[in-house]
Every structure is written in C-alpha cells, then in structure tokens.
Amino acid sequence: MADLSQLADFLAGLGVRRGGVVMVHASLRGTGLRATNVRDALLEVLGPDGTLVVPTFTPENSFTSRAYKELTEGMSAPEEAAFRASRPPFDPERTPCPTMGALAECVRTTRGAVRSGHPHTSLTGLGPRAGELLGGHDPHCHLGERSPLAKLYAADAQVLLLRVGFEVCSAFHLAEYRLRPAPARRTYHCVVGTTGRWTAYEDLTLYDGDFGAIGALLPRDLVTEREMAGKAVRLFGMREAVDLAGVQMCRAGVRMSGYRHGLT
C-alpha cells in the first residue's frame, strides 16, 4: 500500500462513506506511510462534501495527567514549580498535540483546518462541516453533550480505528455522559488565556479502562475489519457503537475511576 491510490482504494473498500463524516484514531508507526498521504487518501475517499475529524488532545496542559508526570519525572520540587510556571497557555491555532500521533498533528497543521477550543480534549477537522461540528466546544465539557462528540453522533459519523484498538476510542466517552445516574465529577486544571495562570474547572470523571472489552462486544455486523501492516483496521457507525457502549457500561455497574489517555 505504498501509494495514495492504493490507500484510497483500501479505505473505500473498508466502507468510508463519500460525503460523510469520519473521526479517525491512527497509529502509522511501522507502516512506512506518510501522514500526509493518509490524510489525502481519506479526503479523496470522503470527497469535497465529506469531513475528516481527528482528536488533537493536549494532556500536557495539566499537572495531574500521565503526560505531565512523564515530563516532570525526576524533577525536584523547585524545578517542577518552575516548569509548571513556564507552561504556555492552550492556543487552538498553535498548540501541538504530540501524544496523538502523526496523522492528528498533520491534520491540525493543514491549511484550513478547524480546531475546537477545549484546552484538554480538542478535535480538529478538515472539510465543509468542520466549523459546524467543532464549533462551540464548551471548555468545561470534555467529550459530552456540549462537545463535538454530540454533534458527530447527530451527524451519523463513522469512526475509523486505523491500527489502534478500541482502548483509545474516544467516542465511547459520550456514552459515559449519558449514563444515569451520572458518574462522579472531579476538578481539572489547565493553562488558558493570555495570563499563563493555571485555572480549574469541574467535569465528569472519565474512565476508559473497559473500552477494549466494550469494543470486543460490539456485534460483528456493526464493525468492518481489515488488516494493515500486521494490525487491525476497524470502521463502524458512531451512533450504534455509543448506544451499545452505554448498555455495556450500565451492565458493568460501578466502574473504576481512572483515565488511560492521561487527560486528567
């Protein structure tokens, strides 16, 4: 699958809808593929009326996240305090997303890309519906009803897991926000605005430790699966997957607290 046309044929054969909306999580490591070719192949299959969306999360903008703790590992208390004070505020137009992979960073830096404004869980899109789908992301709502995920659900988006597992399927978080009774809430921290000061807000306590098991229970006729460079590629409808994830979460009863993505 060395060239653009072969990759586009693969994605079209998988079922990516022309004129549709697709949210992509991807790992290109070990494929030899350039992120620009994957982006262009996706846009070719989607066509001029289709919209490509990728998560461009920034867990580094938090002093309780796994990403932040890795950055500050081994620092003394004064060194960490200085490091924390030096952290730049989140800027949708400039802040990179280094933990999200080459494709996400490629889409983010593409001319015309639209990025939502959440300081931890932004999404970025290319295509005619990007502004509509990613606009108005409430900075106090990671991935719930006031986030792009709810709009993607309403738009009947597809989800493409390109050589990554269900463990990173952020669409499942929308199901968490729809659970009743609602999960517990917690405090998050980030740097926003021009002051460079850390601010706090409350939102749901997110947990993805059972996402792999939830994905494995999705009906086979819902998920189209192929292989690329030794790893699975999966495509499925977001609406059905989120609805079924919610059912599985309810059956699980009390879920453990935590967050594998390290966005806390």
Side-chain angles (χ1 to χ4, degrees), residues 179 248-256:
L179 290 175
Q248 294 301 325
M249 290 174 187
C250 288
R251 288 177 179 172
V254 178
R255 302 170 76 220
M256 297 175 62

Side-chain angles (χ1 to χ4, degrees), residues 152-174:
L152 291 169
Y153 179 98
D156 195 23
Q158 295 176 297
V159 176
L160 175 62
L161 301 179
L162 189 64
R163 304 184 73 253
V164 294
F166 285 104
E167 292 82 2
V168 300
C169 180
S170 58
F172 288 164
H173 284 301
L174 183 60

Side-chain angles (χ1 to χ4, degrees), residues 1 10-11 14 24-29 31 159-168 215 223-236:
M1 203 174 300
F10 175 84
L11 294 167
L14 191 67
V24 183
H25 297 261
S27 173
L28 305 184
R29 184 174 299 175
T31 65
V159 176
L160 175 62
L161 301 179
L162 189 64
R163 304 184 73 253
V164 294
F166 285 104
E167 292 82 2
V168 300
V223 182
T224 302
E225 183 172 330
R226 300 287 187 271
E227 184 180 298
M228 178 189 291
K231 292 189 177 181
V233 178
R234 301 179 178 93
L235 181 76
F236 51 92

Side-chain angles (χ1 to χ4, degrees), residues 78 131 141 210-211:
C141 180
D210 55 1
F211 281 11

Side-chain angles (χ1 to χ4, degrees), residues 65-183:
S65 71
R66 183 180 65 189
Y68 178 89
K69 290 176 181 178
E70 289 176 351
L71 287 170
T72 58
E73 185 178 5
M75 289 185 182
S76 66
E79 288 172 337
E80 182 180 348
F83 178 82
R84 185 180 299 186
S86 72
R87 300 305 294 164
F90 174 76
D91 181 340
E93 295 185 3
R94 295 180 177 83
T95 302
C97 55
T99 63
M100 300 309 296
L103 178 63
E105 187 66 5
C106 173
V107 172
R108 184 192 72 80
T109 55
T110 298
R111 185 174 182 179
V114 176
R115 189 180 193 181
S116 73
H118 197 285
H120 287 143
T121 52
S122 66
L123 291 92
T124 298
L126 290 168
R129 299 191 66 182
E132 164 204 346
L133 295 169
L134 304 183
H137 192 168
D138 189 329
H140 295 172
C141 180
H142 283 290
L143 298 166
E145 302 297 345
R146 303 187 309 280
S147 81
L149 282 193
K151 295 180 181 179
L152 291 169
Y153 179 98
D156 195 23
Q158 295 176 297
V159 176
L160 175 62
L161 301 179
L162 189 64
R163 304 184 73 253
V164 294
F166 285 104
E167 292 82 2
V168 300
C169 180
S170 58
F172 288 164
H173 284 301
L174 183 60
E176 290 185 288
Y177 282 83
R178 296 179 173 179
L179 290 175
R180 293 296 179 270

